[in-house]
Amino acid sequence: FARIWCSVRKEYKMTITEPSLEEEVRHQSAMSYPDEGELDRLCSESLYGTGRSDAINANAAKALRLPTIERAAYGTGHILNDMTGSVWFSYLLVFFRKVLLFSNLRSGILISVGQAVDAVFNPIVGTLSDRTSLSFGRRKSWILGGSIAIVATFPFFAGGCKTCEEYILKRTDIDIMVYYLGLISIFQIGWASVQVSHLSLVTDLTRCQDERTVLYSLRFAATIFANVSVFVATWLLFRKSDSSDLGPADIDEFQALNFGVVGAGFLFVVFCLVFVREPPAPRNTTSGGLITWRDWLAMKEFYQVGVLYMCSRFIQNVAQFYLPMYLLDTLGLSKTAIATVPLTLYVSSMLTTFGMRPLNRHLGRKTAYTIGIGLVLFACVAMYIMPRESEGLMFGASVLLGIGTTTIVITAMAMEADFVAGNVESGAFVYGSMSFMEKMANGLAILIVQAIDPCGEQCAPG
């Protein structure tokens, strides 16, 4: 790109000041991009200050890097999903079992149906998002629509109003199942719309691998911030409670938590939609034409990366689902532990995100992933042999689990972006399909665990 620009201007060392340069480098799909080697060199020059220092290459490299405000807007644009997802993964199962006194099987069915709806709609949303053409932005339009669906349903999981609370507590089992299946289905459709569109937005914004790693790290750091905020809010709510045991009397605390995360999360969605400048949908980004979903399904790497991503998110999500139950039922800790221990896990995760870019750059994706999975296995073994009421040891294991899961998830997401590369015209299908595998695995695992739970109904209050 720099050489083409020079030949047009006839001045090799000119200073480029035209405001359209960034748009031409980052957004124009008809532009001839540098090859991968030249692109990596420009990215390195932009992010690390290396490479040739002529003004043209410096400005071209700078154009590959997003402005700070746009980085921040992208990174925080998923916080509504993160906050509601934190409550969903960490507390919904506990809420069903301990507060609403649902059976193991009913709780497992509700959560598994939610995961299945999410899984089915991930590739559907991905395909529709790739085909969307709106002036507001094909990805941002789906983010807005999905966020509205989340705001409209999530507060009512724990009642949300006096009439809803009475409905939940007094209706028959069938009525309650219908009520929750409807809420969960709409919520998960909205959640899938935001997740897939936000993930695929990265490959639209930049082709630079290091810049994509930065965006994913910021996104994951925002996820950690969202989870930490939820756990702090939960701790503050439960600290005021008279009882150390979780029960039906705690439904008001869950209502306050749900309203709080929806209100705060939607503010970050607005921030993202205002400050992220989504490029127009590309008409042709490869010399051989557009890559379609059939082309992706014919690639063996599609399944390799998909399985890696599925396993990484599976580890993270299942651990998040069952950590509160493990703390309450297996270790016998007080209900404040379901806030303090996950809080420790996510603080360690947040600190880990700052080392992801240098770790991936200097050691490579495979080595970084191997280190992360090793830490996860060590933490799991420690938790398996841990004696009851070992709260101190649990804090140590949660730190290792947080570092390990952060490393494997960010690295897997970076591999996913590497696989999509410059083929952004159908990138959302890739993210949606891989999320489909993840959600189906999560739902099936939770249903099986709930069905064979050796604790049975003895762990339910009363």
Side-chain angles (χ1 to χ4, degrees):
F1 170 78
R3 288 191 292 270
I4 294 173
W5 186 263
C6 290
S7 64
V8 173
R9 292 294 185 179
K10 305 296 185 183
E11 297 178 14
Y12 186 76
K13 293 186 177 181
M14 63 176 292
T15 300
I16 300 175
T17 58
E18 286 85 346
S20 62
L21 173 62
E22 181 179 354
E23 295 300 322
E24 291 184 44
V25 175
R26 285 178 46 216
H27 298 329
Q28 293 299 325
S29 58
M31 180 68 68
S32 296
Y33 285 99
D35 58 28
E36 293 302 320
E38 182 74 359
L39 183 64
D40 289 340
R41 189 192 64 74
L42 289 173
C43 292
S44 177
E45 184 175 332
S46 172
L47 297 174
Y48 301 99
T50 61
R52 291 184 296 174
S53 58
D54 60 85
I56 294 173
N57 282 351
N59 280 274
K62 183 178 180 181
L64 291 168
R65 182 180 57 197
L66 297 180
T68 301
I69 186 67
E70 194 168 1
R71 282 180 170 182
Y74 173 80
T76 57
H78 200 255
I79 282 184
L80 176 62
N81 265 39
D82 294 329
M83 285 184 164
T84 54
S86 178
V87 177
W88 170 275
F89 287 112
S90 296
Y91 296 132
L92 191 62
L93 183 60
V94 174
F95 177 75
F96 283 158
R97 294 285 293 115
K98 303 291 186 178
V99 178
L100 298 186
L101 307 183
F102 286 179
S103 66
N104 275 332
L105 184 58
R106 186 193 298 180
S107 302
I109 290 174
L110 288 174
I111 293 176
S112 297
V113 167
Q115 294 300 109
V117 171
D118 190 2
V120 169
F121 274 88
N122 269 296
I124 294 175
V125 169
T127 302
L128 295 177
S129 177
D130 287 332
R131 297 177 180 179
T132 300
S133 179
L134 295 174
S135 58
F136 186 63
R138 56 176 181 164
R139 311 302 188 198
K140 289 166 63 175
S141 299
W142 283 91
I143 291 174
L144 176 60
S147 299
I148 292 174
I150 293 172
V151 171
T153 56
F154 192 75
F156 302 102
F157 277 36
C161 60
K162 191 64 178 177
T163 303
C164 304
E165 180 180 345
E166 292 175 353
Y167 184 93
I168 294 173
L169 297 177
K170 297 180 180 180
R171 286 288 181 173
T172 64
D173 291 347
I174 295 178
D175 291 337
I176 293 175
M177 289 292 287
V178 172
Y179 174 83
Y180 271 109
L181 287 174
L183 278 182
I184 287 173
S185 297
I186 298 173
F187 167 74
Q188 288 292 359
I189 293 172
W191 208 92
S193 300
V194 176
Q195 182 193 33
V196 173
S197 300
H198 192 262
L199 275 173
S200 55
L201 186 57
V202 169
T203 53
D204 290 353
L205 293 176
T206 178
R207 285 189 65 207
C208 177
Q209 290 187 5
D210 285 328
E211 182 68 13
R212 288 177 177 178
T213 302
V214 170
L215 292 178
Y216 282 131
S217 295
L218 289 173
R219 183 183 191 272
F220 200 84
T223 298
I224 305 306
F225 166 77
N227 281 271
V228 168
S229 300
V230 169
F231 295 135
V232 169
T234 304
W235 176 71
L236 292 174
L237 289 169
F238 286 154
R239 189 181 62 169
K240 300 178 182 179
S241 178
D242 296 330
S243 174
S244 60
D245 296 324
L246 197 64
D250 294 303
I251 191 170
D252 292 336
E253 282 78 5
F254 281 100
Q255 286 182 6
L257 181 64
N258 287 2
F259 273 107
V261 300
V262 166
F266 193 72
L267 292 178
F268 286 102
V269 172
V270 174
F271 176 59
C272 172
L273 297 178
V274 170
F275 288 100
V276 169
R277 297 172 298 162
E278 182 179 350
R283 288 172 294 180
N284 192 352
T285 59
T286 63
S287 58
L290 298 176
I291 291 183
T292 66
W293 62 271
R294 294 183 181 85
D295 299 319
W296 290 119
L297 294 178
M299 301 178 188
K300 68 176 182 179
E301 293 85 359
F302 175 86
Y303 303 98
Q304 293 172 341
V305 176
V307 170
L308 188 70
Y309 177 79
M310 177 193 72
C311 294
S312 303
R313 293 304 297 262
F314 177 84
I315 292 171
Q316 181 190 39
N317 292 337
V318 172
Q320 195 173 2
F321 257 121
Y322 285 104
L323 183 59
M325 299 299 294
Y326 172 79
L327 297 173
L328 295 175
D329 293 340
T330 304
L331 295 187
L333 303 180
S334 66
K335 67 180 181 183
T336 57
I338 67 174
T340 55
V341 173
L343 177 62
T344 303
L345 187 153
Y346 280 99
V347 168
S348 65
S349 296
M350 178 179 289
L351 296 176
T352 304
T353 60
F354 297 109
M356 285 297 96
R357 187 175 73 186
L359 181 67
N360 276 266
R361 183 170 184 83
H362 295 299
L363 298 182
R365 308 283 196 218
K366 293 182 180 179
T367 302
Y369 193 92
T370 302
I371 293 173
I373 201 66
L375 293 174
V376 170
L377 290 174
F378 188 84
C380 290
V381 171
M383 292 171 65
Y384 182 76
I385 63 176
M386 192 174 294
R388 284 180 63 85
E389 300 182 357
S390 302
E391 189 169 1
L393 293 176
M394 188 60 224
F395 280 113
S398 67
V399 170
L400 294 178
L401 188 62
I403 297 173
T405 53
T406 300
T407 303
I408 63 174
V409 170
I410 290 181
T411 304
M413 291 169 66
M415 290 180 176
E416 199 174 10
D418 294 345
F419 175 63
V420 173
N423 303 299
V424 299
E425 68 278 354
S426 55
F429 172 77
V430 176
Y431 290 107
S433 299
M434 294 183 182
S435 294
F436 168 82
M437 292 187 281
E438 168 215 339
K439 303 300 182 181
M440 289 301 293
N442 289 340
L444 183 60
I446 292 168
L447 186 61
I448 292 174
V449 170
Q450 290 302 111
I452 65 175
D453 180 12
C455 179
E457 302 306 315
Q458 298 176 1
C459 296

